[in-house]
Amino acid sequence: MTSWVVTARGLSLSYNGRPPVLCDLDLRVASGEFFMIIGPNGSGKTSLLRLLAGLIAPEAGQVEILAKPLTSWPRRHLAQRLAVVPQQLPQDFPFTVAETVLMGRAPHLGLLDVEGESDRELARAAMHFTDVTRLADRRLDQLSEGERQRVVIARALCQEPEILMLDEPTSSLDPAHQIQIMDLLSRLRAERGVTVIMVSHDLNLAALYGDRLLLIDRGRTVLCGSPAEVLTAERLSVCYGCTILVDTHGLGGLPRVTPLPASYGGHVVPAEEPSGRRGS
Ligand code: ADP
């Protein structure tokens, strides 16, 4: 029987009485799944992840983490099971890599406890896993974006979570660093059974790594399924408001997504154009 570690029902959200950014959204994520949330800019991906992590509260609906309502989890207990890697990394953060990673142990320590040898060992293992050991004594603000991203993931690993939620962890990285982070998350899932829930705007990474993709548009679910089910040319062209070609490449017949430039017959429909494809 499938064990669902995250379940959401009827989630709705609006900010400051403005029109809703999420409407009646349902989802469930299985234990050990690599689940990716995709959709156009402003479709509500980050808001959804923040709701699932309990960082904001929905206007309606409910989230369950490990079969228990999110609202009934004490914050510290939740942080022992669920780690979040936010989109914005601290720029001015006066701590070394080793100190930052060790902070991941905080939810497991009592109020007046200091980290012990076993905590430091876990931090070392997390740094090794993410290949940042050689950076241990460097300050976070002296690192490249890719290095900093790996450190923040190491801090999350040091938390020993069962569920890891990440918001576009590869958005500012070059292809080598993107693949490095994605492979690392895959290993984490394969070797430790961690459930990964990730927001991404990169449809090709979603095709390569996601077990299931949730495509949302203007706060509503368009479709949830395998990459081949979700990533179709017609559906993506409507959601993203531009001509998108989807073919399959040699890698196990996975979909490959190419937005078409005007010189190849591509056409962009501005989101606000009421008679455009997005409105149809
Ligand atoms: P995505 O991650 O898909 O780009 P977001 O969840 O960031 O989408 O944003 C969805 C909508 O909610 C956007 O219109 C955005 O402007 C709005 N929004 C996001 N965060 C806030 C906030 N803190 N206050 C007001 N509006 C917000």
Side-chain angles (χ1 to χ4, degrees), residues 237 242-247 258-268 277:
S237 298
C242 65
T243 314
I244 293 182
L245 177 74
V246 179
D247 57 4
T258 312
L260 281 190
S263 55
Y264 287 91
H267 179 57
V268 175
R277 292 159 74 178

mmCIF file of all heavy atoms in Angstrom, residues 237 242-247 258-268 277:
data_model
loop_
_atom_site.group_PDB
_atom_site.id
_atom_site.type_symbol
_atom_site.label_atom_id
_atom_site.label_comp_id
_atom_site.label_asym_id
_atom_site.label_seq_id
_atom_site.Cartn_x
_atom_site.Cartn_y
_atom_site.Cartn_z
ATOM 1 N N SER A 237 2.067 24.707 -24.117
ATOM 2 C CA SER A 237 1.913 25.926 -24.923
ATOM 3 C C SER A 237 0.783 26.776 -24.360
ATOM 4 O O SER A 237 0.897 28.007 -24.265
ATOM 5 C CB SER A 237 1.636 25.572 -26.383
ATOM 6 O OG SER A 237 2.726 24.865 -26.929
ATOM 7 N N CYS A 242 3.190 30.315 -24.957
ATOM 8 C CA CYS A 242 4.112 30.424 -26.088
ATOM 9 C C CYS A 242 4.152 29.059 -26.789
ATOM 10 O O CYS A 242 3.673 28.070 -26.230
ATOM 11 C CB CYS A 242 5.514 30.844 -25.631
ATOM 12 S SG CYS A 242 6.324 29.628 -24.607
ATOM 13 N N THR A 243 4.707 29.050 -27.984
ATOM 14 C CA THR A 243 4.746 27.780 -28.717
ATOM 15 C C THR A 243 5.864 26.907 -28.156
ATOM 16 O O THR A 243 7.015 27.337 -28.088
ATOM 17 C CB THR A 243 5.006 28.034 -30.213
ATOM 18 O OG1 THR A 243 4.153 29.098 -30.639
ATOM 19 C CG2 THR A 243 4.729 26.792 -31.028
ATOM 20 N N ILE A 244 5.501 25.727 -27.725
ATOM 21 C CA ILE A 244 6.484 24.825 -27.128
ATOM 22 C C ILE A 244 6.454 23.500 -27.872
ATOM 23 O O ILE A 244 5.384 22.921 -28.100
ATOM 24 C CB ILE A 244 6.191 24.624 -25.623
ATOM 25 C CG1 ILE A 244 6.428 25.944 -24.884
ATOM 26 C CG2 ILE A 244 7.066 23.511 -25.043
ATOM 27 C CD1 ILE A 244 6.235 25.880 -23.388
ATOM 28 N N LEU A 245 7.661 23.078 -28.275
ATOM 29 C CA LEU A 245 7.800 21.800 -28.966
ATOM 30 C C LEU A 245 8.194 20.745 -27.935
ATOM 31 O O LEU A 245 9.061 20.997 -27.089
ATOM 32 C CB LEU A 245 8.908 21.952 -30.010
ATOM 33 C CG LEU A 245 9.291 20.724 -30.822
ATOM 34 C CD1 LEU A 245 8.219 20.418 -31.859
ATOM 35 C CD2 LEU A 245 10.632 20.955 -31.520
ATOM 36 N N VAL A 246 7.545 19.596 -27.972
ATOM 37 C CA VAL A 246 7.965 18.489 -27.099
ATOM 38 C C VAL A 246 8.248 17.282 -27.984
ATOM 39 O O VAL A 246 7.382 16.855 -28.748
ATOM 40 C CB VAL A 246 6.882 18.137 -26.059
ATOM 41 C CG1 VAL A 246 7.347 16.956 -25.191
ATOM 42 C CG2 VAL A 246 6.554 19.333 -25.175
ATOM 43 N N ASP A 247 9.489 16.797 -27.909
ATOM 44 C CA ASP A 247 9.801 15.538 -28.584
ATOM 45 C C ASP A 247 10.463 14.619 -27.565
ATOM 46 O O ASP A 247 10.566 14.969 -26.398
ATOM 47 C CB ASP A 247 10.682 15.775 -29.828
ATOM 48 C CG ASP A 247 11.969 16.508 -29.500
ATOM 49 O OD1 ASP A 247 12.228 16.778 -28.298
ATOM 50 O OD2 ASP A 247 12.734 16.803 -30.422
ATOM 51 N N THR A 258 11.225 22.254 -25.812
ATOM 52 C CA THR A 258 11.912 23.376 -26.466
ATOM 53 C C THR A 258 10.918 24.494 -26.772
ATOM 54 O O THR A 258 10.029 24.309 -27.610
ATOM 55 C CB THR A 258 12.556 22.912 -27.809
ATOM 56 O OG1 THR A 258 13.282 21.712 -27.588
ATOM 57 C CG2 THR A 258 13.458 23.980 -28.382
ATOM 58 N N PRO A 259 11.025 25.633 -26.097
ATOM 59 C CA PRO A 259 10.197 26.781 -26.485
ATOM 60 C C PRO A 259 10.692 27.296 -27.833
ATOM 61 O O PRO A 259 11.889 27.460 -28.020
ATOM 62 C CB PRO A 259 10.451 27.807 -25.367
ATOM 63 C CG PRO A 259 11.209 27.068 -24.305
ATOM 64 C CD PRO A 259 11.902 25.924 -24.970
ATOM 65 N N LEU A 260 9.789 27.534 -28.771
ATOM 66 C CA LEU A 260 10.210 27.888 -30.125
ATOM 67 C C LEU A 260 10.371 29.396 -30.299
ATOM 68 O O LEU A 260 9.447 30.159 -29.993
ATOM 69 C CB LEU A 260 9.174 27.400 -31.142
ATOM 70 C CG LEU A 260 9.186 25.926 -31.526
ATOM 71 C CD1 LEU A 260 8.265 25.693 -32.717
ATOM 72 C CD2 LEU A 260 10.592 25.446 -31.848
ATOM 73 N N PRO A 261 11.523 29.832 -30.813
ATOM 74 C CA PRO A 261 11.704 31.250 -31.137
ATOM 75 C C PRO A 261 10.844 31.633 -32.345
ATOM 76 O O PRO A 261 10.452 30.756 -33.130
ATOM 77 C CB PRO A 261 13.190 31.354 -31.507
ATOM 78 C CG PRO A 261 13.792 30.017 -31.307
ATOM 79 C CD PRO A 261 12.702 29.015 -31.101
ATOM 80 N N ALA A 262 10.593 32.934 -32.478
ATOM 81 C CA ALA A 262 9.762 33.418 -33.601
ATOM 82 C C ALA A 262 10.351 32.983 -34.943
ATOM 83 O O ALA A 262 9.619 32.657 -35.880
ATOM 84 C CB ALA A 262 9.643 34.935 -33.530
ATOM 85 N N SER A 263 11.698 32.953 -35.025
ATOM 86 C CA SER A 263 12.337 32.596 -36.300
ATOM 87 C C SER A 263 12.051 31.142 -36.698
ATOM 88 O O SER A 263 12.257 30.759 -37.844
ATOM 89 C CB SER A 263 13.844 32.830 -36.206
ATOM 90 O OG SER A 263 14.363 32.109 -35.107
ATOM 91 N N TYR A 264 11.576 30.331 -35.767
ATOM 92 C CA TYR A 264 11.180 28.948 -36.084
ATOM 93 C C TYR A 264 9.657 28.789 -36.029
ATOM 94 O O TYR A 264 9.130 27.695 -35.846
ATOM 95 C CB TYR A 264 11.837 27.961 -35.112
ATOM 96 C CG TYR A 264 13.316 27.777 -35.367
ATOM 97 C CD1 TYR A 264 14.242 28.583 -34.722
ATOM 98 C CD2 TYR A 264 13.782 26.814 -36.269
ATOM 99 C CE1 TYR A 264 15.602 28.434 -34.952
ATOM 100 C CE2 TYR A 264 15.130 26.650 -36.503
ATOM 101 C CZ TYR A 264 16.043 27.461 -35.847
ATOM 102 O OH TYR A 264 17.373 27.312 -36.089
ATOM 103 N N GLY A 265 8.953 29.896 -36.117
ATOM 104 C CA GLY A 265 7.489 29.824 -36.152
ATOM 105 C C GLY A 265 6.836 29.924 -34.789
ATOM 106 O O GLY A 265 5.630 29.724 -34.647
ATOM 107 N N GLY A 266 7.643 30.224 -33.751
ATOM 108 C CA GLY A 266 7.094 30.347 -32.400
ATOM 109 C C GLY A 266 6.298 31.623 -32.226
ATOM 110 O O GLY A 266 6.503 32.609 -32.933
ATOM 111 N N HIS A 267 5.401 31.613 -31.241
ATOM 112 C CA HIS A 267 4.480 32.725 -31.049
ATOM 113 C C HIS A 267 4.245 32.878 -29.553
ATOM 114 O O HIS A 267 3.960 31.896 -28.873
ATOM 115 C CB HIS A 267 3.177 32.368 -31.784
ATOM 116 C CG HIS A 267 2.112 33.404 -31.668
ATOM 117 N ND1 HIS A 267 2.297 34.709 -32.052
ATOM 118 C CD2 HIS A 267 0.833 33.305 -31.218
ATOM 119 C CE1 HIS A 267 1.175 35.389 -31.841
ATOM 120 N NE2 HIS A 267 0.282 34.557 -31.324
ATOM 121 N N VAL A 268 4.405 34.095 -29.034
ATOM 122 C CA VAL A 268 4.179 34.318 -27.603
ATOM 123 C C VAL A 268 2.862 35.049 -27.415
ATOM 124 O O VAL A 268 2.589 36.037 -28.101
ATOM 125 C CB VAL A 268 5.324 35.158 -26.984
ATOM 126 C CG1 VAL A 268 5.020 35.487 -25.529
ATOM 127 C CG2 VAL A 268 6.644 34.414 -27.091
ATOM 128 N N ARG A 277 -4.315 32.388 -26.294
ATOM 129 C CA ARG A 277 -4.441 30.959 -26.005
ATOM 130 C C ARG A 277 -4.552 30.699 -24.509
ATOM 131 O O ARG A 277 -5.171 29.748 -24.091
ATOM 132 C CB ARG A 277 -3.223 30.223 -26.554
ATOM 133 C CG ARG A 277 -3.193 30.241 -28.040
ATOM 134 C CD ARG A 277 -1.825 30.004 -28.558
ATOM 135 N NE ARG A 277 -1.443 28.612 -28.404
ATOM 136 C CZ ARG A 277 -0.266 28.159 -28.831
ATOM 137 N NH1 ARG A 277 0.578 28.969 -29.387
ATOM 138 N NH2 ARG A 277 0.038 26.892 -28.672
#
